[in-house]
Amino acid sequence: MMAPFRRKKSSKEFPVKVCTYDSELEFHLEHRATGGFLFDLICRTIGLRETWYFGLRYMDKKGYSCWLKMDKKVLDQHINLTPEGCVFMFMAKFYPENVAEELVQEVTQHMFFLQIKEAILSMEVYCPPEASVLLASYAVQAKYGDYDEAICKPGMLISENLLPQRVIDQYQMTPQMWEERINTWYADHRGMSRDEVEMEYLKIAQDLDMFGVNYFPITNKKNTEVYVGVTALGLNIYSKENKLTPMTTFPWNEIRNISFDGKKFFVKTNEEKGNVATTFYSEKARNNKELLDLCVGNHELYMKRRKPDTMEIQQMKAQAKEEKHRRHIERNKLAREKQLREEAEQERANMEKRLMQLQEEMAAANEALRRSEEAAELLAEKNRLAEEEALLLSHKALEVEQEVTRMRMTARKTEEEKIYLERKTKEAELLTAQMIEESRKRVMETEKLKNELIHARVAEKEAKEKLLNFLSRTSTESIFITPSSSPETPALESNTYDLMIDGDMDQLSLEIEKERVEYLTKSKQVQNQLKELRSEIEQLKIGEKQSPLDKISAQQTRLENRKNR
């Protein structure tokens, strides 16, 4: 991502490169430009209005990581110049107490989401294994959208950086097993937009013990090495071995004054005996400067949260509510259009299926008609042959009868001829009787074939009538199954939207309260899901791979379970 404008470089300008977690910006600043000018320029470029959470991180000439001061010139802060110019990292410097209530802009939520995800994956922030799997499923939903079996093939997520390496190393689980567990939750996030997913990610991440804590190594009066952790709620003192559970906590409302003198760092609290100062010792005075800067900034935000919202914040929240309502309407409209499109596609598929069935039925009817016609032709041919055979037998019988008559006329010649003729006559008569019987049978068979031919023609006529009826019925059905034009989605009435914009704020408050109740219910469900996943993968844990933070986290979980009982 580049700056929205570029000017011709002059001798009085120097290049600046600003990196975020998903983009890079390039500027050219005048030598007298201050840190505040550069910071405002970046915020305007990315459209960020909740500027009080963020800062610019850089490496100085001695190799130390520092926050850019807003009231000083950029070039007066001992910045390490590179061939690309001055390089800064735009990132969150302070953290909210409650992400759901305080983060208003979507761009602010996205910046926090990217930074917290990177901190968890790089193991700067400790995250239990079961919570890591759940957060990974939200990260996949934010990147790819709704789960789709046709797209999410096995092995697609293996190459993705989704889990801390510490979690992967301490379980006897293959990448496919981790992917299967991530996809199980990923499928449950269907319908959630990117901003909703990122907010759910931050809601779970803010419950992690190391969320929003800036650690500084320091020594107490007993010369014991400890950590001072600066948070949105106060100062925490941690042992060197345990960054999860603080030994001592100083809430901002109990702290009267914070200061440092060289390497000494003082924390004065309000107690009944008067102001009590706790002294710590740092190796370098520059660490105390940064520690004090973070304390002052967090305390200012702590006090700001406990005052009524300014007009700017009220305006931002109102715009955010309107934008949320508008996106909700658009999502419902898109969901309705998607549903109608799916229904139309389903109806089209059903019609195509029905059409194929009708075509198959028509083909079967045509085949039956063809066979019926072939059978009728075969019967007609048999009948013709039978008639020809009967006619031939009749001719033969007539010839035999004529021969018998001729033989009877010549029988008188001689006795022998008579006897011979009588014998021949008897044989001829017998043969004639047989031929007559055969002719009668042929005539009967011919009659039978005629009847079968009549029946075949009747059957042929019935088959043709059925086919005509079937074609008529098919034509009628095709009229009824012709897909109607898809109904257009009714447009939203403008007056309804104007009413919502003009401000039924009471209704919006009720919706916010409803969302809070739904969030508590969903949070309880998520905790139950985390317990189930923790129990499921507990058997695959490798004991010697457990880090000290893993053991401390497991001990805290057991103590919480006992308290809940």
Side-chain angles (χ1 to χ4, degrees):
M1 178 177 175
M2 304 299 294
F5 62 91
R6 300 182 66 90
R7 295 180 299 175
K8 184 177 180 180
K9 184 177 178 181
S10 67
S11 59
K12 295 184 179 181
E13 293 182 347
F14 62 97
V16 174
K17 182 179 181 180
V18 181
C19 301
T20 67
Y21 284 95
D22 62 349
S23 62
E24 293 183 356
L25 305 172
E26 293 182 1
F27 304 96
H28 285 87
L29 302 180
E30 296 181 354
H31 283 257
R32 61 183 179 180
T34 62
F37 176 81
L38 174 60
F39 183 79
D40 293 340
L41 182 60
I42 296 169
C43 293
R44 290 196 304 270
T45 302
I46 64 178
L48 179 69
R49 297 181 63 183
E50 296 174 277
T51 59
W52 46 86
Y53 292 112
F54 298 92
L56 291 170
R57 197 78 170 169
Y58 69 95
M59 299 296 294
D60 66 6
K61 295 181 179 179
K62 295 182 180 180
Y64 293 105
S65 179
C66 308
W67 290 103
L68 185 68
K69 295 180 175 59
M70 301 297 160
D71 55 345
K72 292 186 177 181
K73 294 181 180 180
V74 174
L75 295 180
D76 290 346
Q77 302 189 41
H78 306 287
I79 297 174
N80 183 26
L81 296 178
T82 66
E84 298 177 343
C86 300
V87 179
F88 298 94
M89 185 68 187
F90 187 84
M91 57 190 301
K93 184 177 181 180
F94 306 103
Y95 290 81
E97 296 179 22
N98 189 316
V99 294
E101 295 180 359
E102 297 180 41
L103 300 184
V104 179
Q105 280 188 292
E106 185 176 338
V107 62
T108 310
Q109 299 173 12
H110 184 62
M111 298 290 287
F112 270 100
F113 165 75
L114 295 176
Q115 183 166 337
I116 296 302
K117 184 181 72 169
E118 178 64 24
I120 291 175
L121 295 178
S122 63
M123 295 180 287
E124 294 179 9
V125 173
Y126 173 80
C127 183
E130 62 277 4
S132 300
V133 176
L134 178 58
L135 293 178
S137 67
Y138 281 118
V140 175
Q141 175 73 15
K143 182 176 181 179
Y144 294 105
D146 289 343
Y147 178 80
D148 189 349
E149 293 182 356
I151 300 176
C152 300
K153 301 294 184 181
M156 187 187 75
L157 302 181
I158 292 179
S159 60
E160 297 282 343
N161 184 20
L162 297 175
L163 296 173
Q165 190 62 39
R166 169 187 53 78
V167 175
I168 297 175
D169 293 341
Q170 61 182 297
Y171 288 93
Q172 294 177 340
M173 296 176 62
T174 63
Q176 290 77 12
M177 296 171 68
W178 286 117
E179 182 184 39
E180 180 181 353
R181 281 157 177 80
I182 292 174
N183 280 333
T184 300
W185 264 328
Y186 174 29
D188 293 337
H189 305 329
R190 182 181 297 276
M192 296 182 68
S193 61
R194 194 191 76 169
D195 57 315
E196 292 174 340
V197 170
E198 292 180 350
M199 179 54 68
E200 290 299 323
Y201 188 102
L202 293 175
K203 287 178 183 178
I204 297 172
Q206 74 177 353
D207 294 332
L208 301 177
D209 294 321
M210 297 178 69
F211 175 85
V213 183
N214 291 291
Y215 295 91
F216 292 86
I218 208 164
T219 305
N220 59 16
K221 285 186 176 181
K222 298 180 181 180
N223 202 25
T224 302
E225 294 182 357
V226 295
Y227 285 102
V228 172
V230 185
T231 71
L233 296 174
L235 294 178
N236 297 333
I237 310 300
Y238 301 88
S239 66
K240 189 176 181 180
E241 297 77 15
N242 184 0
K243 286 187 176 181
L244 299 180
T245 307
M247 299 185 299
T248 307
T249 299
F250 298 100
W252 293 123
N253 58 356
E254 296 180 5
I255 297 177
R256 181 177 181 85
N257 180 264
I258 297 177
S259 62
F260 74 94
D261 183 9
K263 296 182 179 181
K264 293 182 180 181
F265 190 83
F266 305 100
V267 180
K268 294 183 180 181
T269 59
N270 298 321
E271 294 188 0
E272 295 180 356
K273 298 179 181 180
N275 296 336
V276 179
T278 303
T279 305
F280 299 95
Y281 302 90
S282 178
E283 293 183 359
K284 300 182 182 296
R286 64 182 299 118
N287 291 343
N288 288 338
K289 290 182 180 179
E290 184 173 346
L291 177 57
L292 180 63
D293 179 53
L294 288 176
C295 289
V296 172
N298 276 287
H299 183 263
E300 290 177 354
L301 289 178
Y302 177 84
M303 299 302 295
K304 182 179 179 180
R305 295 185 190 102
R306 281 146 185 84
K307 295 179 181 179
D309 292 337
T310 62
M311 291 299 297
E312 180 184 6
I313 296 178
Q314 291 178 14
Q315 181 186 16
M316 289 170 57
K317 288 185 176 181
Q319 291 177 351
K321 289 179 181 178
E322 293 175 1
E323 181 66 17
K324 183 178 180 181
H325 178 69
R326 184 186 63 80
R327 288 199 303 267
H328 178 71
I329 294 176
E330 289 181 354
R331 282 198 297 269
N332 289 341
K333 182 179 179 180
L334 290 175
R336 178 59 180 167
E337 292 177 353
K338 182 178 179 181
Q339 181 182 0
L340 291 174
R341 184 168 60 254
E342 291 176 352
E343 291 176 355
E345 291 177 354
Q346 182 65 30
E347 183 179 357
R348 178 182 178 183
N350 293 336
M351 291 171 60
E352 290 178 351
K353 184 178 179 181
R354 177 59 179 164
L355 179 60
M356 292 179 63
Q357 292 177 352
L358 292 175
Q359 290 176 347
E360 291 176 356
E361 292 179 3
M362 182 183 293
N366 289 331
E367 181 66 18
L369 177 61
R370 185 184 64 79
R371 291 179 180 178
S372 176
E373 291 176 348
E374 290 178 354
E377 291 176 357
L378 182 60
L379 290 175
E381 182 65 21
K382 287 183 178 181
N383 183 60
R384 185 181 63 77
L385 294 175
E387 289 179 348
E388 290 179 354
E389 289 180 358
L391 182 60
L392 182 59
L393 289 175
S394 299
H395 289 308
K396 287 183 178 181
L398 181 59
E399 290 176 357
V400 170
E401 187 177 354
Q402 290 175 355
E403 181 66 20
V404 170
T405 304
R406 185 181 62 80
M407 291 176 66
R408 284 178 179 176
M409 291 176 64
T410 58
R412 300 175 182 176
K413 292 182 179 180
T414 59
E415 189 67 22
E416 291 178 358
E417 290 179 355
K418 182 179 180 181
I419 295 171
Y420 176 78
L421 290 174
E422 285 178 356
R423 186 175 72 251
K424 289 293 184 179
T425 301
K426 289 180 180 181
E427 291 176 358
E429 289 177 352
L430 180 60
L431 179 59
T432 301
Q434 291 178 353
M435 294 180 70
I436 291 173
E437 182 64 23
E438 183 69 19
S439 176
R440 186 182 62 81
K441 291 181 180 180
R442 291 294 182 179
V443 171
M444 293 177 64
E445 184 178 352
T446 301
E447 293 296 328
K448 181 179 179 181
L449 289 175
K450 286 183 178 181
N451 293 333
E452 291 180 359
L453 177 61
I454 293 172
H455 288 302
R457 289 178 176 173
V458 172
E460 178 184 358
K461 182 178 181 182
E462 292 176 351
K464 289 182 177 179
E465 292 177 353
K466 288 183 179 180
L467 177 60
L468 291 175
N469 291 334
F470 173 78
L471 293 176
S472 176
R473 177 171 57 86
T474 305
S475 176
T476 305
E477 290 183 355
S478 64
I479 294 175
F480 287 106
I481 63 175
T482 300
S484 60
S485 58
S486 57
E488 298 183 355
T489 306
L492 295 174
E493 296 184 4
S494 58
N495 58 352
T496 302
Y497 179 73
D498 293 339
L499 287 175
M500 292 301 300
I501 293 180
D502 291 341
D504 194 353
M505 301 305 294
D506 293 337
Q507 181 64 25
L508 290 175
S509 301
L510 292 175
E511 292 180 358
I512 294 173
E513 180 64 21
K514 181 178 179 182
E515 290 179 358
R516 188 183 70 83
V517 174
E518 292 178 351
Y519 163 70
L520 294 176
T521 304
K522 186 173 182 181
S523 177
K524 186 174 180 181
Q525 294 175 351
V526 169
Q527 294 299 325
N528 293 332
Q529 289 179 326
L530 290 175
K531 290 180 181 179
E532 292 177 1
L533 180 59
R534 187 185 304 117
S535 302
E536 180 182 353
I537 66 177
E538 187 69 24
Q539 299 176 353
L540 302 174
K541 184 181 291 184
I542 304 174
E544 57 270 18
K545 294 287 187 177
Q546 304 297 303
S547 65
L549 294 180
D550 290 317
K551 296 177 181 179
I552 293 171
S553 177
Q555 184 178 2
Q556 291 179 354
T557 301
R558 287 194 294 270
L559 292 175
E560 291 178 0
N561 292 335
R562 291 177 183 175
K563 291 180 181 180
N564 294 332
R565 291 177 184 174

